[in-house]
Amino acid sequence: TLFRSRHCSLYCFLFIVQREEGHRMTRHGKNCTAGAVYTYHEKKKDTAASGYGTQTVRLSKDAVKDFDCCCLSLQPCKDPVVTPDGYIYEKEAILEYILHQKKEIARQMKAYEKQKNQKKAEVEELQKAAKESTLKGFLEKETSIISKPLNPFTAKSGATQPGTSTKPSRDEQDKQLPSFWIPSLTPEAKATIMKKPDKTVYCPMSGKPLKMKDLIPVKFTPLDEKLDRVGLINRQDRYICAVTRDMLGNSVPCAVLRPSGAVVTLECVEKLIKKDMQDPITGESLSEKDIIIIQRGGTGFAGSGVQLQAKESRPVMQA
């Protein structure tokens, strides 16, 4: 009985100690390494720590550009313009981009013309040197033609004396060998040949040619005209359709009408505007090219049709 009571008290003591220390120790299941299965979580964790393998990250809604933000500055536009492909830019940002590209093209053209003139000068120098060498050879041949009396007792200039060797001596061979440390004999890195630069400025998003006259002003209809710009930016719902007064956002397909610059929903275009093909704001006639569909950002859902995965390619270890 005494043994049983002592054994029970020891068991209770160990149980209390384990219970007291349990809240400071992690669960055994989280750090279990005895499993025979290499889980997906462990694989992702090891891949992130190793620095090898391609990593993919699912983009959330906060990482997607809003439909009314500039494609360059990623900020809500103050003076928006749209390209014929439907990409919205801040007017100041896109004009600065076009001017920068034109300056870069002018700099490249200047370097190309300089390279072209250098090549032309090199060709002229080579032609001049070839002419001079031809003239020099001709003069040497002309001056060597001199009539001299033949003496049968003198050896010819091309004949060799008996017992003499025609092979050059070792000293002469050493003198003829090139020295690689001489600057004129060391190899030189050739200058990179520049191709003629393209004078066309391309859209940074679509990659198609872009001109200043192609930019179309956009007029968004604010939800509350009393709000200033700061108050409008702070709101999630900022603009509405100019005709139906529906809320605009990344989940609502919308278009810009070229004559007025008004932004309307595609549902309004299909049901109302395409019936008579007239701009409801100005009354001007429209064509298919005058209806420009805005390129929107994603909504955070895969069904929005936007790639919502970011990939980072890193070295891969192959077996």
Side-chain angles (χ1 to χ4, degrees), residues 12-173:
C12 294
F13 174 77
L14 293 175
F15 177 77
I16 293 172
V17 170
Q18 289 178 358
R19 189 181 62 180
E20 291 296 328
E21 293 182 356
H23 70 280
R24 296 197 299 264
M25 299 173 62
T26 57
R27 288 175 56 190
H28 178 69
K30 292 184 177 179
N31 295 329
C32 181
T33 57
V37 179
Y38 190 41
T39 63
Y40 177 78
H41 173 72
E42 292 174 342
K43 183 179 178 181
K44 296 291 287 184
K45 186 177 179 181
D46 293 343
T47 302
S50 64
Y52 291 93
T54 302
Q55 275 193 325
T56 58
V57 178
R58 179 69 161 77
L59 299 178
S60 62
K61 182 181 178 182
D62 297 334
V64 179
K65 181 183 75 68
D66 289 336
F67 79 102
D68 60 333
C69 291
C70 173
C71 293
L72 290 175
S73 64
L74 305 180
Q75 299 295 326
C77 296
K78 182 179 180 180
D79 189 6
V81 292
V82 67
T83 64
D85 296 314
Y87 292 99
I88 290 182
Y89 295 98
E90 179 70 41
K91 187 175 183 180
E92 182 181 356
I94 191 62
L95 291 181
E96 186 178 352
Y97 170 81
I98 293 174
L99 292 176
H100 174 73
Q101 291 297 317
K102 287 187 175 181
K103 288 181 181 178
E104 184 66 18
I105 291 171
R107 185 190 65 79
Q108 293 178 0
M109 281 298 299
K110 189 176 180 180
Y112 175 76
E113 291 295 335
K114 184 179 179 181
Q115 175 185 277
K116 189 177 178 181
N117 294 334
Q118 287 178 354
K119 284 187 177 181
K120 187 177 180 181
E122 289 177 1
V123 171
E124 290 177 354
E125 287 180 1
L126 291 175
Q127 292 177 352
K128 186 178 179 181
K131 288 182 181 179
E132 289 179 354
S133 63
T134 305
L135 181 59
K136 186 177 179 181
F138 175 76
L139 292 177
E140 287 179 354
K141 289 180 179 180
E142 288 293 324
T143 53
S144 63
I145 302 176
I146 301 174
S147 59
K148 294 182 180 179
L150 297 175
N151 189 356
F153 299 100
T154 58
K156 295 182 179 180
S157 59
T160 58
Q161 296 294 332
T164 60
S165 176
T166 58
K167 294 182 180 180
S169 62
R170 186 57 180 266
D171 296 337
E172 293 178 354
Q173 285 183 357

Side-chain angles (χ1 to χ4, degrees), residues 10 131 182:
L10 179 61
K131 288 182 181 179
I182 298 176

Side-chain angles (χ1 to χ4, degrees), residues 246-304:
D246 292 334
M247 196 67 63
L248 300 180
N250 281 11
S251 59
V252 181
C254 47
V256 177
L257 305 179
R258 187 189 294 265
S260 62
V263 181
V264 295
T265 60
L266 277 185
E267 185 179 3
C268 174
V269 172
E270 296 293 336
K271 293 183 178 179
L272 299 177
I273 297 176
K274 281 191 175 181
K275 289 183 177 180
D276 51 5
M277 292 301 288
Q278 285 187 350
D279 192 329
I281 307 301
T282 61
E284 299 180 23
S285 59
L286 297 173
S287 63
E288 290 293 336
K289 293 182 179 180
D290 294 333
I291 302 173
I292 303 170
I293 299 175
I294 294 178
Q295 301 292 336
R296 301 167 292 123
T299 60
F301 295 96
S304 62

Side-chain angles (χ1 to χ4, degrees), residues 225-244:
E225 297 182 356
K226 298 178 181 179
L227 293 176
D228 57 354
R229 175 174 167 76
V230 178
L232 197 64
I233 290 175
N234 291 332
R235 297 189 59 169
Q236 184 67 27
D237 301 327
R238 293 188 282 266
Y239 301 110
I240 56 176
C241 174
V243 178
T244 61

